[in-house]
Amino acid sequence: MSNKFEFLINSFIQNKIGIDENFIHPTLSASLRNNLLELFSKNEFHLAGTGNDIIDDTKLYRSDSIHWLDRLHNNEHEHEFFDLMDEFIIYLNESCYAGIKSYEFHYTLYPAGSFYKRHLDQFRNDGSRKYSMIMYLNIDWQKGDGGELRIYQDSFGQDVTPTNGKTVFFKSVEMEHEVLLTHKARLSITGWLKS
């Protein structure tokens, strides 16, 4: 079995927040970024919501747009991404007895001036999300561009810069987090491993 996932898993075990700078290969990262931008240019994205109920004031809490990934799109880059996630889940289940049975992922685009207020990635009436994953697709992200992921642990906020290829992994029900105001377009794939 491949051990290419051990860095992310060991980082998670040690810190409750797994961070790997190279989880996604640069070639795949570039392909996914190009696919995201093409879909956005074709108006295939929609404004993200909060929770699994319709809330009229969603824009008070978040201002990003999303597009769900799906094998039914028959996109070669999405297939390669899902193959990577299938391999990761097999390794996670075998090495950590995680019990993951499914997942869901979407592209996320935060335009300049957008944010997502502090929250948990868990619905009140559905506890199936076990782990959250965010994979960044931002080339040449600089200090001052904003858009950091702030993760709260024991009332302390850890800021993660959304640089290209970086992946963040944590328990969905444990880690409150937010996306700080971004000053330029911020691209990622966000998703959840589910029981």
Side-chain angles (χ1 to χ4, degrees):
M1 177 61 73
S2 169
N3 65 0
K4 66 184 176 181
F5 304 122
E6 285 187 4
F7 189 91
L8 183 65
I9 292 172
N10 288 336
S11 175
F12 166 76
I13 290 170
Q14 291 171 9
N15 306 305
K16 295 187 178 180
I17 303 168
I19 299 176
D20 187 343
E21 301 284 343
N22 302 296
F23 184 85
I24 295 183
H25 190 276
T27 303
L28 177 57
S29 178
S31 298
L32 291 167
R33 173 186 167 83
N34 291 338
N35 194 45
L36 183 160
L37 291 171
E38 181 180 356
L39 289 164
F40 188 76
S41 72
K42 293 178 177 178
N43 297 315
E44 296 288 331
F45 277 61
H46 63 273
L47 291 176
T50 53
N52 52 7
D53 297 318
I54 296 171
I55 299 175
D56 292 334
D57 57 357
T58 292
K59 286 189 175 184
L60 297 174
Y61 298 99
R62 66 186 299 185
S63 47
D64 56 317
S65 295
I66 65 171
H67 177 83
W68 290 98
L69 281 73
D70 195 319
R71 282 198 184 270
L72 295 177
H73 295 158
N74 204 26
N75 178 280
E76 62 179 314
H77 310 303
E78 291 185 27
H79 280 314
E80 187 177 351
F81 171 78
F82 283 131
D83 290 345
L84 175 69
M85 295 315 304
D86 288 341
E87 191 178 349
F88 176 63
I89 288 169
I90 289 169
Y91 189 77
L92 182 66
N93 283 340
E94 290 183 353
S95 62
C96 300
Y97 308 103
I100 300 305
K101 297 179 180 174
S102 65
Y103 50 69
E104 55 187 6
F105 287 95
H106 59 65
Y107 288 121
T108 311
L109 191 146
Y110 285 83
S114 60
F115 59 88
Y116 193 166
K117 298 282 189 180
R118 186 169 172 171
H119 64 283
L120 279 174
D121 282 350
Q122 193 69 269
F123 297 131
R124 289 182 193 154
N125 58 355
D126 180 356
S128 64
R129 290 179 173 177
K130 297 304 177 188
Y131 298 96
S132 299
M133 293 188 79
I134 306 131
M135 288 144 276
Y136 296 111
L137 308 173
N138 302 298
I139 298 172
D140 297 326
W141 200 265
Q142 303 295 318
K143 187 174 182 178
D145 289 337
E148 293 89 353
L149 174 71
R150 178 168 290 168
I151 306 174
Y152 294 91
Q153 186 174 8
D154 301 323
S155 300
F156 172 76
Q158 174 183 346
D159 289 351
V160 180
T161 305
T163 51
N164 191 53
K166 183 183 292 180
T167 293
V168 184
F169 176 74
F170 54 88
K171 281 193 174 179
S172 301
V173 73
E174 288 184 3
M175 296 295 170
E176 288 192 333
H177 56 285
E178 64 180 311
V179 175
L180 303 182
L181 184 70
T182 185
H183 304 301
K184 68 177 189 180
R186 177 189 186 274
L187 316 177
S188 65
I189 293 175
T190 302
W192 301 275
L193 309 186
K194 304 173 75 175
S195 61

